[in-house]
Amino acid sequence: MTDKIEQSELVVESMSNQRFDQVANELFPDFSRSRLQTWIKSGLLTIDGRPGKSKQKLFGGETLQLCVDLEPEGEWVAEDIPIDIIYEDDAIMVVNKPVGLVVHPAAGNRTGTLLNGLLHHNPELIHVPRAGIVHRLDKDTSGLMVVAKTLAAHTNLVTQLQARTVSREYEAVAIGVMTGGGRVAADIGRHPRQRTKMAVLDFGGKEAITHYRVLERFEYHTHVRLKLETGRTHQIRVHMAHIGYPLVGDATYAGRFRIPKGASVELIEELRGFARQALHAAQLGLNHPVSGEYIQWSVDLPDDMVHLLSEVAQG
């Protein structure tokens, strides 16, 4: 990716009598509506070489010219942090995030995040919003994430996420023995009293839908496969707790630690020592932003979840 964008497009007659910003959205689909509005206002997107106003009508036959020197999208620092890259081309990168790695800098985590590592791997990502990160995983959730390497890929992937054409499947170990699969449709929003938590809300939440199916039942636990239809913060963790099957190790949503009645010493020790939610983003599928081809990736469970499943199987 270069740090300069230079493009020009002809306004065809069928676009006559449409607003400048509407035509720009059609002719420059690689960029978001808000970004194009900003470029129009700043005079970087012009009509026949002259600045225009978003609402002015076009007649057809004009040439829209885009000439932009890309600015850094943040003041982040590149750091040499190992990244497990599953796939990479000129448009996207798919990474396998380990447990314990924060995705994006925030208060208390200014450095040492996946974003810092991405900038070290590819400094040009400084010109892409959030260094190309379009969706997140919690610090203690492992697994697959896609990163956009260009503005065009970023716009495309954000649109796909909004259209729900990105497939995200997870594996988890839930507390309790589930009778079968199902669907949870329960709106999620900020917890009314504990602001660091999310919760199922009757009013004011955002639509949240999770599909789940049983992979294997054990004496006290269930190995579950889950698919997100929406992507709310902590969605799987909140939904599973909401239906009475919170995730093993989830200190935020599973409540106080309970010892399964009759569990072996080995299982009790494993459960006490499992210090993160047993959740892994196992599969990711999407339409490639450039080719349009549907591509899918899968990664195995991390060692700690493999060991956990071994112990819960023995009871």
Side-chain angles (χ1 to χ4, degrees):
M1 177 179 173
T2 65
D3 56 4
K4 191 177 186 70
I5 298 172
E6 292 181 298
Q7 293 183 28
S8 62
E9 297 289 343
L10 179 67
V11 180
V12 296
E13 286 189 17
S14 62
M15 295 176 172
S16 65
N17 210 36
Q18 290 188 45
R19 289 169 32 157
F20 181 16
D21 56 356
Q22 294 172 331
V23 174
N25 290 331
E26 290 186 53
L27 295 180
F28 301 97
D30 286 345
F31 309 107
S32 68
R33 186 181 300 267
S34 61
R35 189 175 291 272
L36 289 169
Q37 289 276 11
T38 299
W39 287 340
I40 290 172
K41 290 177 183 176
S42 59
L44 299 174
L45 178 53
T46 59
I47 307 167
D48 292 329
R50 296 185 296 276
K53 296 188 179 298
S54 292
K55 294 182 179 180
Q56 86 178 66
K57 295 291 181 67
L58 301 182
F59 300 99
E62 302 96 333
T63 297
L64 302 191
Q65 296 168 308
L66 182 59
C67 185
V68 177
D69 289 311
L70 294 175
E71 299 290 336
E73 292 280 342
E75 298 181 353
W76 308 298
V77 178
E79 294 180 78
D80 189 3
I81 297 170
I83 300 174
D84 183 9
I85 299 172
I86 302 300
Y87 173 86
E88 184 174 13
D89 59 27
D90 291 341
I92 61 173
M93 184 189 319
V94 176
V95 303
N96 183 18
K97 189 190 86 67
V99 173
L101 182 63
V102 174
V103 169
H104 191 282
N109 291 103
R110 291 296 179 189
T111 59
T113 71
L114 174 63
L115 184 148
N116 301 109
L118 289 170
L119 287 175
H120 183 271
H121 174 74
N122 185 347
E124 290 297 323
L125 287 173
I126 194 68
H127 299 302
V128 185
R130 297 182 180 84
I133 293 169
V134 293
H135 65 118
R136 303 189 190 189
L137 294 176
D138 297 334
K139 174 184 176 182
D140 290 329
T141 298
S142 55
L144 293 170
M145 292 179 56
V146 63
V147 176
K149 294 178 65 177
T150 66
L151 280 176
H154 184 273
T155 302
N156 181 281
L157 291 174
V158 168
T159 300
Q160 286 196 56
L161 284 162
Q162 292 170 342
R164 303 181 185 179
T165 58
V166 176
S167 174
R168 290 170 287 172
E169 295 196 18
Y170 294 70
E171 288 191 30
V173 183
I175 300 169
V177 184
M178 303 175 74
T179 55
R183 174 179 180 268
V184 185
D187 294 358
I188 290 176
R190 189 68 59 182
H191 194 289
R193 293 179 301 280
Q194 297 168 274
R195 304 304 290 174
T196 58
K197 294 176 62 175
M198 307 302 287
V200 168
L201 302 177
D202 291 329
F203 303 99
K206 294 182 179 180
E207 182 186 29
I209 300 171
T210 306
H211 303 265
Y212 63 94
R213 60 186 174 90
V214 172
L215 293 179
E216 192 170 2
R217 297 180 188 85
F218 304 103
E219 190 170 357
Y220 311 105
H221 300 88
T222 309
H223 184 192
V224 191
R225 182 89 171 189
L226 306 108
K227 184 170 185 176
L228 290 179
E229 189 170 321
T230 56
R232 307 305 174 199
T233 300
H234 299 176
Q235 178 172 317
I236 288 174
R237 298 164 62 191
V238 171
H239 273 174
M240 293 302 288
H242 177 66
I243 63 173
Y245 298 97
L247 304 188
V248 168
D250 193 341
T252 303
Y253 298 106
R256 65 180 181 84
F257 178 73
R258 293 180 177 83
I259 298 174
K261 187 176 180 181
S264 67
V265 173
E266 291 79 11
L267 177 56
I268 294 170
E269 288 181 357
E270 175 68 20
L271 295 174
R272 283 191 186 279
F274 201 87
R276 61 113 172 176
Q277 61 269 7
L279 182 62
H280 174 68
Q283 186 171 292
L284 175 70
L286 51 86
N287 298 315
H288 191 277
V290 177
S291 70
E293 177 188 2
Y294 184 79
I295 312 177
Q296 188 168 280
W297 302 269
S298 299
V299 286
D300 294 335
L301 288 174
D303 291 343
D304 64 343
M305 281 186 66
V306 172
H307 190 267
L308 173 65
L309 284 167
S310 175
E311 291 296 330
V312 300
Q314 296 177 50

